Amino acid sequence: MSLLMIRDLTVTAPTGQRGDADRVRVLRGISLSLDRGMVLGVVGESGAGKSLLGRVIAGQLPPGFAMAAGRVDFSRRNILALTPGARRAMLGREIAFIPQDPRAALNPVRTIFSQLREHFAHLGLPRHQHRARAIEVLADVQLPDPADLLGRFPHQLSAGMCQRVLIAMAFASRPLLLVADEPAAALDAAAQRQTLELIAAQRRRAGTAVLFITHDLRRVAGFCDRLAVLYAGAVVEEGAAAAVMSRPLHPYTRALELATPSLATRRGLVVLPGHQPGLAALGRASGCRFAPRCPVRSAGCAEREIPLIGDDRRVACQYPERTSRIAPAPPPPPYRVGSGEVLLQVDGLGRRLRAGGVLRGRVTAVLEDVSFKLREGEFLGIVGESGSGKSTLARLIVGLDRPTTGRIALAGADVTKGDGAARRIRLANLQMVFPDPDSALNPRRRIGSIVAQALEAARRPAVEREAVAADLMRAMGLDPALVARLPGQLSRGQRQRVSIARALAARPRLLVADDVVSGLDVSTQAQLLALLARLRASGIALVFISHDLAVVRHLCDRVIVMQQGRIVEAGETERVFTDPQAEHTRALLAAAPPDIGPPATTLLAIPPPAG
Amino acid sequence: MSRFLHPGLVIGSLLVLAVLGAAIFAPLIAPFDPAQQDLLAPLAPAAWQHGGSLAHLFGTDTLGRDVLSRVIYASRAAVLVAVLAAAGAGLIGSLLALAAGYLGGWVDRLVRCAVDVWLAFPPVVLSLLLIAGLGAGVVKVVLAIALVDWVRFCDELLGGVSAAAQSERTAAARLLGFSHLRTVMLDVLPAVLPLMASLFVFEMGAAVAVAAVLSFLGFGLGAHQITWGQMIAVGRLAVFEAPWNLLAPVVAIIATVAGCNMAGGGLRRALDVGRRRA
């Protein structure tokens, strides 16, 4: 018998529309099993219900959510039937959790040691052994100088170090099962990789089985024994990881794979229409939930619900044989470099910040001697780890910050000083899209009013503003009826498109996009990338800042690699990715998640779907 | 709208509305002219006490004036001072908070420093010092309160203003060509407006209490204005003969201040000030 058996698990939630009576199934008949010492990856986009799985096991469903059916057995005990006391004794000891946000999981006002002690006390470890054991578990996760670390507070540690402390805590009891919910999502590429490798090493030592919940197929592929793909609250495909990756049977899995940019080659991305149904839409949906977006659906797909069929390899599709017919998108247009007039020129740009007090303050250079040129219609990618100065550079270009040294020229005019004249030149030529649409969009403004903000600033009449807003909404693939909504009523991907539409309303010649696709699901990201790629036709130039190398390779003509405020490598995308010169570029490429699926060459041989 | 049905908010708002109604409709509600003397029936007991009559619910004062009518009329001064003082304090505090939070730099440091200094003084003592210099009168009392209590607004708003000022939407507004003033009005001010509303209601309660203290000590609004503080000062002398001369204005003050505090607190919760929906 398996270590963890989930059978016919169904969780319902209120839609919030007609009081408590109107409930939808956010998890539908989930059946999964996990053997001792194995790793099961649960992959799904946000809203698929994957995090609910972990919460069911922890007995912490969000308010309003309820178990409607099913059982969860953990080493032959139905954990849903346990008394709260018995469950508490089991959690943290036999079942450990690693949370998504390491900083939120640690108490900011208590030292690392005091939090470890609390956990050790829960495990029943005698007090006098606490210090030795604490040093031991911290050393296990390769934290430097563990004895010194014990007296520190979480804010004195980096996010990656906090995550290691939590990993150490999770494995302190040598648990039978670890539930890891996006344990690396908040970290940058190198730290992500380290975190995953650490979990892998620790679980091998302790013989722990892992339930790995993630949205990033690429990250977990090499790490899992089995994979389950979740869509709209149900498992659509499950099987051995290698088999699911190399030969997906469900159209959704295949589409996800084809929507993921590749690091090795530059390929087109399959863009699925629409998005995963939300709570309200789930209640109305019938039949196969993926049918409305499915590229190979038949008329009958929407009529009845498709069960998960199969034995070792299970799939919830009537026509799994059609999946392989989903063709990769045509390759994107070739890179465009060289021609056109110079739109933006940056010379020896530097920015120093004074940290600390007036007397004991230190001056640190966040940006040093950055120079590059950007021509009209060119897409320039800027990559680097967090803290490499990418965002500072963006803020300097758009004039939200002033450089300490160096010079910025936009459309042939010097805009370094940032005075009234510079502001007018910037207004006429450039716009910026911000990384976080939640912070960038005023939550109290209607979407239509946000999109037309540039025209409002220029005091254009309301009729014109409405017309422009409607046009841009359509151009961004958004329903123009959404103009009456508030940002909180839109999905994150939709909000990011609104943010882009707002910048385009000012008709810029240069768009600075700071980390606009991070944190988005693969299919949403593909939609957004397609949107940005379409901007090429209008001759707009783009500065695209990202830490996802594959995305930059897909979209940008030229690349700048930054490290600690300096440019370490710059060049045409193809050259930088195939023949990196700088040590740091090679390190970044090595830390990036590997591609998924079979090589693109074999995919091209598959004929396109008929009709 | 169910979030506005919190008991504290409902009860508090009802109390505040009752006081407001009393102030506006005083001539209609009050059984007697508050200045009408009946020297033959001074210090009459309250209606439910021995020898009391329903004609004078809370009895009469030393000059035979109806206590209930005087309490009702005194609410006019209380409401006037509360609204003006809260508006004044809110205006000064909010402007300074907006300037400091939006501009940052030395303006921010200067304002925060002033806030720290102001917070170091006990507010009522500071008001007393001010009024001693200013003299009596409605404007003087309002000034004495506003010049002290602006710091409550400023202190509470600063955080929200700087968060809004540093948010990406403010940066975006500037890049899209909005002037500083329009950016503040459209993207910064709305973010702190709910907090300002709840602070305003809180401040009305505080102003009522401070104004009562001031007029109790003789720094009132002027001889002809009836105030609760002044009624307490007079009623104190006859507390054994006719306790309701003292108790009636005390109850009025407590009800008003408690009402403002409950309404302000409830408003704060209902408008979700400081917390965001995930």
Side-chain angles (χ1 to χ4, degrees), chain A residues 385-405:
Chain A
E385 295 172 303
S386 49
S388 59
K390 307 185 298 272
S391 290
T392 307
L393 179 57
R395 293 179 67 85
L396 289 175
I397 292 172
V398 299
L400 289 172
D401 193 7
R402 307 253 176 286
T404 322
T405 55

Side-chain angles (χ1 to χ4, degrees), chain A residues 371-372 380 558-561 567-572 575-576 582 585:
Chain A
S371 307
F372 63 88
L380 171 68
R558 286 197 302 126
V559 189
I560 285 176
V561 183
I567 294 181
V568 293
E569 180 156 11
E572 295 176 17
R575 206 273 300 148
V576 172
T585 312

